[in-house]
Amino acid sequence: MGSILGIRTYIDDRSLFAEVKGPVLNLNTDEFWEEVDTMDDVAWKREVFGKYIKILIRSILKMDPDEPIEDNTEFQTFGVDSLMMLEMKNNLQNLFGQRMKVTASDLKGCNTTELLSCKLVDILMATEQIVEVIPTPEELQQLIQEDSQLPSHIKPSDQTRKLPSEITTVLVTGATGILAPYILRRVSSMSQISKIICIIRKRGKGSAE
């Protein structure tokens, strides 16, 4: 009885359960993603995921390759238990590679091929939506150029219009920013500048002054 309770306690402990490693089935990750990416419709993507889920189930349960698995049949009907679901998660992660991450909690409640394929496609769509687009150096330079120019409708009046050589007072906003020290160094080296006004933010509990 003590051995049975010990096994049950081990399985119920999620931290220990997460360390269990099942055998990993070798499937071609590139072929899988190629199939997924050629499907424009979400429903078709789910079909591709469903196809590979069934391949994994047949492998885990040592079923015949052509044995039918209905989309809405619960995995428990085939004899899939908690350890097998963890094995399923490990195999799915191996199939997805670095492009997509899944956890054991992602599979919770997904006890049919349809539910699991829908969940995985939802994770994929969410993952692709938050991918950060890193600008190229040329695009970054263009962004800096655009940000450094005032909108066309903002122009100095005739009374305040001066040549650069006539400017004696400069206002620097965002003086605690990354570019501010370079701007200040450049401006302060100009002989005609007599006053530089900096707008800065306080840091922590200290004052801006």
Coordinates of all heavy atoms in Angstrom, one line a residue, residues 14 22 30-31 33 35 41 43 68 81 108 139 149 160 164 169:
R14 N 3.4 18.0 -9.5 CA 3.6 18.6 -10.8 C 5.1 18.9 -11.1 O 5.5 18.7 -12.2 CB 2.8 19.9 -11.0 CG 1.3 19.7 -10.9 CD 0.5 21.0 -11.2 NE 0.8 21.4 -12.5 CZ 0.1 21.0 -13.6 NH1 -0.8 20.2 -13.5 NH2 0.4 21.6 -14.8
G22 N 9.4 11.2 -21.9 CA 9.0 10.1 -22.7 C 9.8 10.0 -23.9 O 10.5 11.0 -24.3
D30 N 10.8 20.6 -40.7 CA 10.7 21.5 -41.9 C 9.5 21.1 -42.7 O 8.8 22.0 -43.2 CB 12.0 21.4 -42.7 CG 13.2 22.0 -42.0 OD1 13.0 22.8 -41.1 OD2 14.3 21.6 -42.3
E31 N 9.3 19.8 -42.9 CA 8.1 19.4 -43.7 C 6.8 19.8 -43.0 O 5.9 20.2 -43.7 CB 8.2 17.8 -43.9 CG 9.3 17.4 -44.9 CD 9.3 15.9 -45.0 OE1 8.4 15.2 -44.5 OE2 10.1 15.4 -45.8
W33 N 6.2 22.4 -40.9 CA 6.0 23.8 -41.1 C 5.7 24.2 -42.5 O 5.0 25.2 -42.8 CB 7.2 24.6 -40.5 CG 7.2 24.6 -39.0 CD1 8.2 24.1 -38.2 CD2 6.2 25.1 -38.1 NE1 7.9 24.3 -36.9 CE2 6.6 24.9 -36.8 CE3 4.9 25.7 -38.3 CZ2 5.9 25.2 -35.7 CZ3 4.2 26.0 -37.2 CH2 4.7 25.8 -35.9
E35 N 4.0 22.4 -44.6 CA 2.6 22.1 -44.8 C 1.7 23.1 -44.1 O 0.7 23.6 -44.7 CB 2.3 20.7 -44.2 CG 2.7 19.5 -45.0 CD 2.2 18.2 -44.5 OE1 0.9 18.1 -44.4 OE2 3.0 17.3 -44.1
D41 N -5.9 29.2 -44.8 CA -7.1 29.2 -43.9 C -6.8 28.6 -42.6 O -6.0 27.6 -42.5 CB -8.3 28.5 -44.6 CG -9.6 28.6 -43.8 OD1 -10.2 29.7 -44.0 OD2 -9.9 27.7 -43.1
A43 N -8.7 26.9 -40.6 CA -9.3 25.5 -40.5 C -8.3 24.5 -41.2 O -8.2 23.4 -40.7 CB -10.6 25.5 -41.2
P68 N -8.1 4.2 -37.7 CA -8.8 5.5 -37.7 C -8.9 6.1 -36.3 O -9.0 5.4 -35.3 CB -10.2 5.1 -38.2 CG -10.4 3.7 -37.9 CD -9.0 3.1 -38.0
D81 N -3.1 8.1 -21.0 CA -3.2 8.6 -19.6 C -2.3 9.8 -19.5 O -1.8 10.4 -20.5 CB -2.7 7.5 -18.7 CG -1.3 7.0 -19.0 OD1 -0.5 7.7 -19.7 OD2 -0.9 5.9 -18.6
K108 N -3.8 21.0 -21.2 CA -4.8 20.7 -20.2 C -6.2 20.9 -20.8 O -6.5 22.0 -21.3 CB -4.6 21.6 -19.0 CG -5.5 21.2 -17.8 CD -5.2 22.1 -16.6 CE -6.1 21.7 -15.4 NZ -5.8 22.5 -14.2
E139 N 16.5 51.3 -42.5 CA 15.2 51.7 -42.0 C 15.3 52.5 -40.7 O 14.6 53.5 -40.5 CB 14.4 50.4 -41.8 CG 14.0 49.7 -43.0 CD 13.3 48.4 -42.8 OE1 13.5 47.8 -41.7 OE2 12.5 47.9 -43.6
Q149 N 12.6 65.8 -38.0 CA 12.0 66.9 -38.7 C 10.7 67.3 -38.2 O 9.8 66.4 -38.0 CB 12.0 66.5 -40.2 CG 13.3 66.3 -40.9 CD 13.2 65.9 -42.3 OE1 12.1 65.6 -42.8 NE2 14.3 65.8 -43.0
T160 N 10.7 85.7 -35.4 CA 11.6 84.8 -34.6 C 12.6 84.1 -35.6 O 13.5 83.4 -35.1 CB 10.8 83.7 -33.8 OG1 10.0 83.0 -34.7 CG2 10.0 84.4 -32.8
P164 N 21.1 80.2 -38.5 CA 21.7 79.4 -37.5 C 22.8 80.2 -36.7 O 23.0 80.0 -35.5 CB 22.3 78.2 -38.3 CG 21.4 78.1 -39.4 CD 21.0 79.5 -39.8
T169 N 20.3 81.1 -28.0 CA 19.7 80.3 -26.9 C 19.1 79.1 -27.5 O 18.4 79.1 -28.6 CB 18.6 81.1 -26.2 OG1 19.1 82.3 -25.6 CG2 18.0 80.3 -25.1

